[in-house]
C-alpha cells in the first residue's frame, strides 16, 4: 500500500525559532494586525513613501549625512529579511512561500514584521533554487532595488552585492540550525544571474565564508566604522573615492 501524501500546509510558524529575521506570521486573524500595510507599498517612491521615511530614520541613527550610505545599509537589512524567510522555509519546510499578498509593519527597532493570510501562502512550483529565485530575487529584491535607487544614487552592482552578502549571511545563520542543508542552494543562486560575479562563497568543515566584489559603504558612516567581514577591500578606501 502506498503511503498517503501529507497534504497539510507548511507550518511557517517554525521559522521564528531560528530568529526574528526568519519569522513569518500566518495567523488566521481575519485580516492583518494593527499597523500593517500591504508589502507592495514598501516599494512606493516619493518623499512620503514608507521606504523613504525609513531611510531618513536610518540615516539619523547612523549619524550620516550621506543618504546613499543609509540607503545601502537599509537595503542590506531588508534583503536579509527576505532571504531569511525564503531560504529558511526552503531548508526547514521544503518549500518557499510566495509573498504577493503579504503585509508589512516597520517597527522602531529590528527587522520588519511580515504577515500574510494563511491561504495565499501557497508554495511556489519547481526546484527550490528556482522557487527562491522567483519568490525572493524577482518578487521582492528587484522592486526593492528600484525603490532604493529612486531614493538614493546607488549602483545596481552595489545592490546586487548587498543581495549576495545578505544571502551568504542567512546561510551562516542556518548552518547553525541545519548544518550543510542550505549550502548547495546558496551556491547555485550565487552562480546564476543576476548574482553571478557578485562574490565568492567558500564552504568547509568549519563553516562558510563569503567575499563580495563590491562594498556596502558602511565604512563611510564615520571614523572607526571599519569594513564588513565580507568586504572587497582589505583597508578602507579614501573618503573621496567612489566605491559603488
Amino acid at each position: 500500500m502506498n503511503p498517503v501524501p501529507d497534504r497539510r500546509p507548511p507550518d511557517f510558524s517554525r521559522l521564528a525559532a531560528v530568529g526574528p529575521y526568519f519569522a513569518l506570521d500566518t495567523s488566521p486573524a481575519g485580516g492583518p494586525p494593527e499597523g500593517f500595510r500591504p508589502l507592495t507599498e514598501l516599494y512606493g517612491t516619493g518623499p512620503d513613501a514608507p521606504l523613504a521615511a525609513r531611510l531618513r530614520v536610518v540615516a539619523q541613527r547612523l549619524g550620516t549625512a550621506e543618504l546613499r550610505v543609509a540607503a545601502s545599509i537599509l537595503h542590506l537589512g531588508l534583503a536579509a529579511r527576505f532571504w531569511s524567510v525564503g531560504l529558511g522555509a526552503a531548508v526547514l519546510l521544503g518549500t518557499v512561500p510566495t509573498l504577493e499578498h503579504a503585509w508589512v509593519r516597520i517597527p522602531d527597532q529590528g527587522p520588519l514584521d511580515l504577515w500574510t493570510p494563511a491561504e495565499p501562502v501557497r508554495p511556489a512550483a519547481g526546484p527550490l533554487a528556482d522557487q527562491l529565485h522567483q519568490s525572493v530575487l524577482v518578487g521582492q529584491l528587484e522592486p526593492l532595488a528600484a525603490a532604493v535607487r529612486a531614493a538614493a544614487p546607488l549602483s545596481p552592482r552595489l545592490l546586487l552585492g548587498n543581495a549576495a552578502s545578505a544571502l551568504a549571511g542567512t546561510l551562516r545563520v542556518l548552518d547553525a540550525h541545519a548544518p550543510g542543508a542550505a549550502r548547495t542552494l546558496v551556491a547555485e543562486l550565487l552562480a546564476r544571474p543576476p548574482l553571478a560575479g557578485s562574490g565568492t562563497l567558500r564552504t568547509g568543515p568549519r563553516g562558510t565564508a563569503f567575499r563580495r566584489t563590491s562594498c556596502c559603504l558602511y565604512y563611510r558612516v564615520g571614523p572607526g566604522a571599519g569594513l564588513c567581514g565580507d568586504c572587497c577591500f582589505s583597508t578602507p578606501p579614501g573618503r573621496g573615492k567612489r566605491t559603488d
Side-chain angles (χ1 to χ4, degrees):
M1 177 181 294
N2 293 327
V4 177
D6 188 353
R7 300 185 181 280
R8 292 175 298 178
D11 182 9
F12 291 106
S13 66
R14 291 174 53 194
L15 300 178
V18 183
Y21 271 78
F22 292 78
L24 178 62
D25 185 1
T26 60
S27 56
E34 185 177 356
F36 279 72
R37 62 177 67 192
L39 176 57
T40 52
E41 292 186 9
L42 183 67
Y43 308 134
T45 58
D48 298 325
L51 189 141
R54 184 64 172 181
L55 179 53
R56 292 190 291 270
V57 171
V58 171
Q60 182 179 30
R61 289 179 176 171
L62 289 174
T64 180
E66 289 191 83
L67 200 60
R68 67 191 187 103
V69 174
S72 177
I73 303 306
L74 173 61
H75 174 265
L76 187 57
L78 292 174
R81 182 69 171 100
F82 292 124
W83 277 129
S84 297
V85 171
L87 188 62
V91 170
L92 301 178
L93 305 177
T95 190
V96 177
T98 59
L99 296 175
E100 63 259 39
H101 298 291
W103 290 61
V104 63
R105 179 173 58 194
I106 303 177
D108 290 335
Q109 297 284 348
L112 55 80
D113 299 319
L114 283 173
W115 176 91
T116 188
E119 191 62 29
V121 186
R122 61 186 183 279
L128 288 174
D130 292 346
Q131 293 182 34
L132 285 164
H133 177 91
Q134 188 63 37
S135 179
V136 180
L137 267 172
V138 176
Q140 305 306 325
L141 298 191
E142 285 187 0
L144 173 62
V148 168
R149 294 191 69 208
L154 290 173
S155 74
R157 179 173 175 268
L158 183 151
L159 295 178
L160 285 174
N162 281 357
S165 176
L167 176 59
T170 302
L171 169 60
R172 286 192 290 271
V173 175
L174 279 172
D175 252 356
H177 292 262
R183 295 184 182 184
T184 300
L185 278 174
V186 171
E188 183 174 344
L189 287 166
L190 290 174
R192 64 162 67 177
L195 298 184
S198 58
T200 302
L201 179 71
R202 293 184 174 86
T203 61
R206 296 185 178 182
T208 64
F210 179 75
R211 189 172 182 86
R212 57 189 286 174
T213 57
S214 61
C215 174
C216 74
L217 307 179
Y218 177 73
Y219 78 94
R220 298 184 68 88
V221 167
L227 298 173
C228 301
D230 62 359
C231 188
C232 62
F233 296 113
S234 56
T235 58
R239 291 283 298 175
K241 182 180 178 180
R242 294 278 300 194
T243 57
D244 57 345

